[in-house]
Amino acid sequence: MAIFDLLEEIYFALSANKIRSFLTVLGIVIGIGSVIAMVSIGQGAQGSIQSSIQSIGSNLVIVTPGAQRGVGVQVSAGRGSAQTLTQADADAIQKEISSIKQIAPELTRRYQITAKGQNTNTSITGTTPAYPEVRNIAVGEGSFIDAQQMASYSKVAVIGPTVRDDLFGQGAEALGQSIKINGVIFKIVGITQAKGGSGFNNPDDIVYVPLTTAQRFLAGDAYVTTISIEAQDQSSMASVQQQITILLLERHKISDPAAADFGVLTQADIVATASTVTSTFTILLASIAGISLLVGGIGIMNMMLTTVTERTREIGLRKAIGAKKRDINLQFLMEAITLTFLGGMIGVGLGWLLAYLVSLFAGIATSVSWSSVFLAFGVSAAIGVVFGYYPARRASQLNPIEALRYE
Amino acid sequence: MIEISDITKLYKNENVEFLALKNVSFKINDGEFVAIMGPSGSGKSTLMHILGALDTPTSGRYLLDGQDVALLTEDELADIRKNKIGFVFQSFNLLPRASVIRNVYLPLVYSGVSKEERVRIAEEKLSATGLPETHFHHLSNQLSGGQMQRVAIARALINNPSLILADEPTGNLDTKTGDLILETFKKLNDAGHTIVLITHEPEVARHAKRIIHIRDGSILKDEILR
Ligand SMILES: Nc1ncnc2c1ncn2[C@@H]1O[C@H](COP(=O)(O)OP(=O)(O)OP(=O)(O)O)[C@@H](O)[C@H]1O
Ligand SMILES: [Mg+2]
């Protein structure tokens, strides 16, 4: 049987019952479409999380305080709230660890700030002049905190654009104005460039002050909440991480590394952790969508079995006039594959559209990868083979004379 | 050449058991024009299905062109049906919702004949049955019984088979159209095709050169007319 004739037969067979063919295809369209859309949302999330992690700096090693854990005892204080890192730790790291390019300890707490009767509650980060370079922050107007301001406990502040907009109004002139942080008056000397981002970790909704000032006038102690370190290069990150761990364990007099009261993370660790989370998320989404694909496949099988029963006499006739088993088998298998392939094609389009709409209306980044498109085609054709195989086999094995007598 | 010896056919279902053919033996040479005649239920259609390699006898031997049909594989049987045999079924067995032309050329689809060629041959064979050309593109289920019968005959002739098995091919036709069909068969026979015509009407059987009378699954008489 020539390929063109086969296609013609398939066309006639499928168009004989358009609604049924359409509904069956719809099952596959929804299955493939949701797989594509879900995977694109997952991959989009992965991409945007990774790029936001990359944007916080390069070759970054971050030291955070953590509750000291006794053996078998869970102390219920979250990482970050514990006060185990001090200014002295930061100084020791700077002095004793090699392959460090920059170090920027910080003390971040939330305070109420007011200016001209407006007030807002935001993160106040006390830090050192190295911070912009380590954490990839650019100053738009004015300048960042300098060493002299550090040394003299100056009450100066560099604010993020969101804070400026909240306190002084959208895009208003804020340089040189005064703000009151926790009752202490600070003078604005710089405004950072907008970095973008939203939610509770908005890099633009932040106020920077000298670390010394923050420790003396705001926190009243010499603890730090994070120490950011820029390693010399990518290859030295692991060694920096290791050296810091050893140094701090020694300084904190802890012999068991598992009981450390601090954490040392490299940027790569953060990316890896985020990746496992987002890929689990992607797999979860894809498998939910995969179930609808499976249901679509069962729909194909159901339709093909019905078709074979309905067309028993036709199959008998075809065999009587010389069709071989293989001809009948191929015809019905190809009918199933045509349905799923058609469904796959429309489904890819639908998935693409869904992904586009999601990023348009929900603001979630999506990315439809070619690999998921090709996979969808492969999977839909495979579904046709798998779910079409049994009905086609049944058709091809019919005895011609019994099939002709079938009512 | 058809050679059957001691053929029996036992239909056996859950509830009934029926011996439709009882020790039937005969020989039909190439180029013969044979009518198989008998009353309803005598086993004519059963015999035709066996002769056409569609069904297998319960016992006995069937040699078609010297080959024992029982020893052939399914694919070899399909090839024989495709290349050597043209069937006209008693109940036509046309594809519903398919055009007349498509019904007629369907066997050629399996022999790999090109579409233009198929349509051309189908039109030629349909004309030979006297079906008006206006009906060539009708759907087969929009035809009258007699028209369906003519489509079924045209389909049987499409692959130019050496053996034509026709089960009551004139059953639904008026005398004039019936005569046209019988005339077509006669011409085919003159051209060397073997024709086996199944009927219960003596007037129709008389067009053949030989009549095999069958009753209750057994041969009653084998009559040579000319
Ligand atoms: N599949 C079957 N199962 C059981 N019995 C059957 C089957 N097919 C035919 N028979 C029986 O075999 C006998 C012969 O049937 P067949 O169809 O060969 O008759 P026929 O001579 O062609 O009759 P008609 O002229 O009415 O077409 C009938 O009595 C019928 O009931
Ligand atoms: Mg009959």
Side-chain angles (χ1 to χ4, degrees):
Chain A
M1 202 171 182
I3 184 75
F4 179 79
D5 294 325
L6 185 61
L7 293 178
E8 196 184 49
E9 292 288 339
I10 289 167
Y11 169 76
F12 279 120
L14 296 182
S15 59
N17 204 329
K18 292 194 185 65
I19 296 188
R20 187 165 67 190
S21 304
F22 169 76
L23 290 175
T24 311
V25 166
L26 193 61
I28 298 295
V29 168
I30 292 173
I32 292 286
S34 49
V35 168
I36 295 270
M38 292 303 169
V39 169
S40 80
I41 290 171
Q43 288 183 337
Q46 194 147 359
S48 72
I49 287 175
Q50 274 177 12
S51 72
S52 74
I53 292 169
Q54 302 300 351
S55 78
I56 63 172
S58 50
N59 305 330
L60 200 60
V61 179
I62 291 175
V63 187
T64 53
Q68 178 148 17
R69 283 157 215 267
V71 184
V73 184
Q74 293 285 329
V75 179
S76 64
R79 188 176 287 259
S81 67
Q83 299 183 327
T84 54
L85 285 182
T86 61
Q87 181 66 47
D89 288 331
D91 294 340
I93 291 170
Q94 178 149 37
K95 208 160 69 198
E96 295 184 27
I97 310 287
S98 58
S99 334
I100 288 184
K101 199 166 160 197
Q102 306 263 17
I103 177 165
E106 64 180 276
L107 170 61
T108 299
R109 299 234 171 115
R110 293 190 80 85
Y111 292 105
Q112 197 70 23
I113 49 179
T114 57
K116 292 183 174 168
Q118 297 290 326
N119 76 82
T120 180
N121 184 292
T122 192
S123 285
I124 311 298
T125 295
T127 190
T128 60
Y131 192 84
E133 220 176 302
V134 178
R135 294 300 289 261
N136 210 7
I137 307 275
V139 176
E141 296 173 54
S143 54
F144 203 74
I145 298 150
D146 60 28
Q148 197 272 324
Q149 288 159 337
M150 268 292 280
S152 60
Y153 300 87
S154 294
K155 288 175 191 143
V156 293
V158 175
I159 63 173
T162 306
V163 178
R164 176 199 56 199
D165 294 348
D166 287 350
L167 294 177
F168 302 100
Q170 192 78 36
E173 179 62 53
L175 220 55
Q177 307 263 28
S178 292
I179 55 172
K180 213 185 242 182
I181 303 174
N182 204 25
V184 184
I185 293 171
F186 283 78
K187 188 173 153 224
I188 298 173
V189 296
I191 295 160
T192 62
Q193 242 167 36
K195 219 174 175 184
S198 58
F200 86 122
N201 237 343
N202 185 352
D204 296 336
D205 187 12
I206 205 160
V207 175
Y208 302 100
V209 299
L211 178 61
T212 48
T213 319
Q215 285 170 339
R216 178 173 291 184
F217 299 107
L218 297 176
D221 52 47
Y223 291 114
V224 296
T225 53
T226 306
I227 304 170
S228 304
I229 296 128
E230 186 181 348
Q232 213 98 59
D233 49 45
Q234 190 146 19
S235 56
S236 57
M237 270 160 79
S239 112
V240 168
Q241 180 183 29
Q242 203 176 7
Q243 289 178 64
I244 293 174
T245 308
I246 293 166
L247 175 72
L248 292 185
L249 283 174
E250 200 182 285
R251 286 181 53 83
H252 294 194
K253 300 188 173 56
I254 297 166
S255 54
D256 177 11
D261 59 356
F262 59 90
V264 186
L265 285 175
T266 65
Q267 209 165 2
D269 294 338
I270 303 171
V271 171
T273 312
S275 292
T276 50
V277 172
T278 50
S279 51
T280 309
F281 172 70
T282 308
I283 290 168
L284 182 76
L285 286 178
S287 40
I288 292 170
I291 290 170
S292 67
L293 192 56
L294 184 71
V295 173
I298 293 170
I300 292 276
M301 182 133 140
N302 189 16
M303 162 169 171
M304 291 312 296
L305 283 174
T306 313
T307 309
V308 168
T309 309
E310 277 178 359
R311 287 157 65 192
T312 301
R313 283 177 69 100
E314 175 194 324
I315 295 163
L317 171 75
R318 286 177 186 275
K319 285 199 149 185
I321 59 173
K324 295 193 173 124
K325 255 185 176 179
R326 143 167 58 86
D327 294 318
I328 302 290
N329 205 335
L330 191 67
Q331 183 181 347
F332 282 87
L333 195 59
M334 285 302 289
E335 272 181 36
I337 293 173
T338 306
L339 286 174
T340 55
F341 203 71
L342 213 66
M345 235 147 57
I346 303 170
V348 166
L350 178 80
W352 217 309
L353 186 73
L354 279 179
Y356 174 74
L357 291 178
V358 161
S359 49
L360 195 67
F361 291 114
I364 299 170
T366 57
S367 89
V368 179
S369 60
W370 282 108
S371 64
S372 69
V373 171
F374 287 128
L375 196 70
F377 274 119
V379 166
S380 58
I383 283 174
V385 174
V386 169
F387 290 96
Y389 175 80
Y390 174 66
R393 208 175 109 92
R394 241 169 83 150
S396 73
Q397 285 181 338
L398 285 172
N399 171 294
I401 198 73
E402 276 166 25
L404 276 173
R405 252 189 226 119
Y406 181 85
E407 286 304 331
Chain B
M1 192 177 69
I2 289 171
E3 199 174 353
I4 59 172
S5 37
D6 249 354
I7 291 274
T8 60
K9 178 69 188 181
L10 179 69
Y11 286 116
K12 209 168 160 185
N13 305 348
E14 304 87 55
N15 32 20
V16 285
E17 217 174 83
F18 187 83
L19 195 58
L21 292 176
K22 302 163 192 161
N23 304 88
V24 176
S25 304
F26 57 70
K27 198 167 148 184
I28 298 174
N29 288 312
D30 287 347
E32 279 201 70
F33 186 172
V34 183
I36 295 179
M37 198 173 84
S40 178
S42 53
K44 304 184 297 292
S45 296
T46 304
L47 185 57
M48 185 193 100
H49 293 149
I50 291 172
L51 293 182
L54 267 179
D55 209 354
T56 48
T58 313
S59 69
R61 202 157 69 131
Y62 173 21
L63 297 181
L64 177 60
D65 292 336
Q67 269 183 314
D68 191 340
V69 169
L71 302 179
L72 297 177
T73 65
E74 248 183 83
D75 279 359
E76 285 167 334
L77 290 175
D79 275 332
I80 287 178
R81 293 194 294 261
K82 180 165 74 185
N83 302 322
K84 284 191 186 170
I85 301 175
F87 287 104
V88 181
F89 293 98
Q90 194 169 11
S91 49
F92 320 139
N93 288 322
L94 301 181
L95 289 189
R97 280 179 273 112
S99 72
V100 165
I101 286 278
R102 202 158 87 83
N103 260 289
V104 173
Y105 74 52
L106 190 65
L108 294 184
V109 167
Y110 294 103
S111 348
V113 177
S114 80
K115 180 137 187 203
E116 301 79 59
E117 190 67 3
R118 287 201 305 253
V119 171
R120 193 187 61 72
I121 303 176
E123 283 173 350
E124 179 192 310
K125 302 294 178 189
L126 276 170
S127 303
T129 66
L131 188 79
E133 213 164 307
T134 48
H135 284 63
F136 285 8
H137 293 278
H138 278 40
L139 296 186
S140 69
N141 47 355
Q142 296 167 346
L143 299 177
S144 73
Q147 290 168 334
M148 286 192 200
Q149 189 145 42
R150 282 183 271 173
V151 175
I153 292 165
R155 183 181 62 197
L157 305 182
I158 192 95
N159 51 357
N160 221 18
S162 54
L163 172 61
I164 295 164
L165 299 168
D167 198 347
E168 306 273 7
T170 56
N172 290 276
L173 300 177
D174 55 281
T175 332
K176 202 171 141 249
T177 322
D179 284 348
L180 178 72
I181 297 297
L182 290 169
E183 199 51 46
T184 310
F185 283 148
K186 204 170 280 171
K187 271 191 216 145
L188 284 166
N189 181 240
D190 290 344
H193 298 258
T194 312
I195 314 260
V196 177
L197 180 71
I198 288 169
T199 182
H200 59 266
E201 293 172 88
E203 309 86 67
V204 173
R206 221 165 294 140
H207 285 83
K209 293 178 182 164
R210 172 182 168 195
I211 304 177
I212 297 174
H213 296 265
I214 179 170
R215 181 149 309 164
D216 296 335
S218 303
I219 292 181
L220 208 63
K221 195 164 75 170
D222 196 336
E223 186 185 2
I224 312 272
L225 298 179
R226 33 187 174 258

